């Protein structure tokens, strides 16, 4: 057989479960055909082959391309001024009353064109790509009306076509109540569920449905209405759950067999058990934990005890996690949440793929999977969690092509 590419003289952290730590194969080789991994193993076992291109990596390490499975990458403006005001002593409530907070992001997002939103999102995306990301999830949620939500999702689709990453989109219409509906939130929930989601789905803009379930956001009953509509449309769901309080988010996610429950700082053991039984992945978001100066840690020991897969993501957003580095997220997950470097890397690869329903396509380096790879200038995989801010990426491959 003639292969498109042979990658050789490398070490591979396959991130497959079982066997050696990191699923490591030292002195390895990878054969790629039609954008997929055809073979990976010790170089000494390389099968008889012909390759159109051969690339020697000079002893570098290869991992699966990193997966940022929770972002709000598309939005208008920024909130750096609010960040400065908070450090000077202003409270979030004072800023919100003055027209700041999420209201300011909604206003800016509605005002910007699709081209403007695309340009600013691509600038933020450069940080993710420079830290090995080949797949990114992008949510709506700053439009909060028919035109604004669809505009955001169209931009996310364009990023997937043009910006050198795979993209999965999430409809986050139940993110906050928009200003014009403060006096009648029920009317907004009706609109988000019965108008905006079906329209976005009909246009092919939605891969998943997400919601923010908190006392300051939306109730279990309101989110259930949205998730019922998602089921009707054949769409999987995710959930911002138990970030600020134990509001039953984990149990709600489990009831709908959600792909993931995200944040979960306040999830109890009962919630963890329901997640385990339903196969819900926990997405840990250390950037928001850092920026909000939280003290309630997610229940990592319980997640381990009950066998819940743990993913790690940046939560890149303008208000609570202006983080555009996936390796920084890995480091913070280790330092703040006490994940091991191997757990954190699995969280950014194998388990992040689970959180997007893509575990059969990406997330590990094994035959049959897409050849989305990151090549690193490191001497051992733990360095990806060790260094904070150091450039380590040598090259990315997307579907077998250098990106």
């Amino acid at each position: 057989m003639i292969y498109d590419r042979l990658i050789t003289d490398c070490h591979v952290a396959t991130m497959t479960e079982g066997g050696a730590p990191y699923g490591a194969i030292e002195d390895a080789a990878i054969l790629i055909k039609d954008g997929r991994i055809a073979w990976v193993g010790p170089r000494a076992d390389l099968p008889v082959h012909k390759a159109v291109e051969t690339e020697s990596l000079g002893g570098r390490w290869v991992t699966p391309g990193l997966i940022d499975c929770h972002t709000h990458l598309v939005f208008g403006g920024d909130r750096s001024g609010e960040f400065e005001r908070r450090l000077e002593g202003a409270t979030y409530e004072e800023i919100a009353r003055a027209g700041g907070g999420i209201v300011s992001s909604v206003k800016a997002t509605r005002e910007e064109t699709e081209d403007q939103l695309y340009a600013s999102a691509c600038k933020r995306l450069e940080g993710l790509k420079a830290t090995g990301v080949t797949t990114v999830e992008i949510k709506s949620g700053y439009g909060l009306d028919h035109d604004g939500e669809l505009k955001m999702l169209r931009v996310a689709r364009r990023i997937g076509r043009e910006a050198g990453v795979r993209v999965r989109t999430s409809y986050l219409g139940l993110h906050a109540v928009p200003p014009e509906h403060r006096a009648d939130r029920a009317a907004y929930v009706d609109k988000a569920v019965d108008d905006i989601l079906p329209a976005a789905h009909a246009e092919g803009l939605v891969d998943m449905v997400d919601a923010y379930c908190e006392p300051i956001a939306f109730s279990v009953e309101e989110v259930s209405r949205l998730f019922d509509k998602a089921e009707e449309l054949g769409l999987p769901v995710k959930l911002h759950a138990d970030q600020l309080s134990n509001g039953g988010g984990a149990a709600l996610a489990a009831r709908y067999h959600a792909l993931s429950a995200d944040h979960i700082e306040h999830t109890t053991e009962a919630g963890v058990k329901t997640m385990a039984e339903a196969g819900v992945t926990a997405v840990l978001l250390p950037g928001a934990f850092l920026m909000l100066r939280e003290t309630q840690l997610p229940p990592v020991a319980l997640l381990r005890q009950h066998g819940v897969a743990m993913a790690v993501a940046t939560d890149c957003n303008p208000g609570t996690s202006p983080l555009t580095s996936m390796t920084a997220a890995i480091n913070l997950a280790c330092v703040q949440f006490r994940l091991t470097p191997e757990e954190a890397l699995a969280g950014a690869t194998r388990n992040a793929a689970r959180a997007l329903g893509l575990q059969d396509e990406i997330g590990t380096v094994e035959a049959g999977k897409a050849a989305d790879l990151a090549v690193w200038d490191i001497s051992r995989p733990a360095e990806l969690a060790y260094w904070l801010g150091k450039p380590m990426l040598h090259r990315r491959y997307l579907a077998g092509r250098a990106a």
Side-chain angles (χ1 to χ4, degrees):
M1 181 181 290
I2 299 176
Y3 298 92
D4 299 324
R5 186 184 297 272
L6 167 64
I7 296 173
T8 187
D9 190 16
C10 62
H11 312 297
V12 181
T14 67
M15 300 313 297
T16 53
E17 296 187 76
Y22 301 94
I25 304 171
E26 299 201 26
D27 192 13
I30 305 170
L31 286 168
I32 296 171
K33 185 172 178 60
D34 298 329
R36 310 192 81 80
I37 298 165
W39 182 89
V40 59
R43 181 164 51 165
D45 297 339
L46 191 64
V48 176
H49 67 279
K50 291 183 180 179
V52 175
E53 295 183 29
T54 298
E55 182 170 8
S56 172
L57 294 182
R60 293 181 173 89
W61 276 89
V62 179
T63 69
L66 302 190
I67 301 164
D68 196 350
C69 64
H70 182 129
T71 86
H72 305 253
L73 192 70
V74 175
F75 56 83
D78 69 53
R79 281 149 64 183
S80 57
E82 294 177 18
F83 171 69
E84 189 170 30
R85 287 187 60 198
R86 286 201 306 274
L87 292 176
E88 291 169 351
T91 66
Y92 185 87
E93 290 76 15
E94 289 169 342
I95 292 170
R97 282 198 300 271
I102 192 171
V103 172
S104 65
S105 292
V106 171
K107 183 175 184 292
T109 301
R110 289 177 176 179
E111 289 176 349
E112 291 192 9
T113 66
E114 289 187 21
D115 285 344
Q116 288 171 322
L117 291 171
Y118 176 80
S120 64
C122 283
K123 289 180 181 178
R124 292 184 282 274
L125 181 64
E126 286 305 310
L128 297 179
K129 293 197 297 186
T131 52
V133 169
T134 53
T135 297
V136 59
E137 182 260 13
I138 302 176
K139 305 177 191 297
S140 67
Y142 290 116
L144 303 183
D145 62 12
H146 184 282
D147 293 345
E149 290 292 289
L150 268 63
K151 177 172 65 174
M152 291 183 69
L153 291 166
R154 289 190 196 105
V155 171
R157 282 283 189 246
R158 180 180 172 188
I159 291 170
R161 291 193 304 270
E162 301 177 7
V165 290
R166 296 182 192 271
V167 167
R168 294 280 282 177
T169 61
S170 295
Y171 169 69
L172 184 59
L174 294 191
H175 189 199
V177 177
E180 65 271 21
H181 282 282
R182 280 179 182 159
D184 190 1
R185 63 181 288 126
Y188 177 67
V189 173
D190 289 344
K191 185 175 183 179
V193 172
D194 298 324
D195 171 25
I196 305 174
L197 174 56
H201 178 255
E203 200 172 313
L205 300 176
V206 184
D207 296 318
M208 299 164 288
V209 173
D210 199 350
Y212 187 22
C213 185
E214 283 286 349
I216 66 168
F218 294 92
S219 69
V220 168
E221 293 74 24
E222 289 167 330
V223 173
S224 295
R225 279 197 57 204
L226 177 67
F227 283 5
D228 286 342
K229 177 62 72 170
E231 281 191 346
E232 180 184 317
L233 296 173
L235 294 168
V237 300
K238 304 167 66 69
L239 187 66
H240 288 60
D242 302 338
Q243 178 186 11
L244 305 175
S245 63
N246 177 24
L252 177 63
R255 172 153 49 103
Y256 285 90
H257 293 274
L259 292 172
S260 69
D262 302 26
H263 289 290
I264 67 164
E265 281 90 335
H266 290 265
T267 297
T268 63
E269 183 167 13
V272 170
K273 286 181 177 178
T274 64
M275 290 173 61
E277 291 165 0
V280 178
T281 297
V283 178
L284 307 180
L285 302 171
F289 186 91
L290 174 73
M291 293 296 292
L292 291 172
R293 299 179 180 178
E294 293 287 354
T295 57
Q296 176 67 47
L297 292 164
V300 169
L302 290 172
L303 296 170
R304 288 187 185 121
Q305 178 184 333
H306 294 286
V308 176
M310 293 182 288
V312 174
T314 65
D315 192 16
C316 175
N317 75 72
T320 61
S321 189
L323 176 60
T324 61
S325 167
M326 198 62 207
T327 50
I330 289 170
N331 171 277
L332 291 172
C334 294
V335 173
Q336 295 185 132
F337 300 159
R338 303 297 189 266
L339 268 63
T340 68
E342 184 175 2
E343 285 177 323
L345 186 55
T349 54
R350 180 178 72 238
N351 292 336
R354 286 173 52 96
L356 299 180
L358 296 176
Q359 61 269 30
D360 294 332
E361 180 71 9
I362 56 175
T364 57
V365 182
E366 56 185 318
K369 297 259 181 107
D372 292 2
L373 308 170
V375 182
W376 306 93
D377 289 315
I378 56 176
S379 59
R380 58 197 302 262
E383 288 189 56
L384 296 176
Y386 171 67
W387 295 107
L388 185 58
K390 178 183 177 181
M392 293 177 279
L393 186 73
H394 175 70
R395 182 170 298 161
R396 294 183 315 132
Y397 291 92
L398 189 65
R401 295 178 178 272

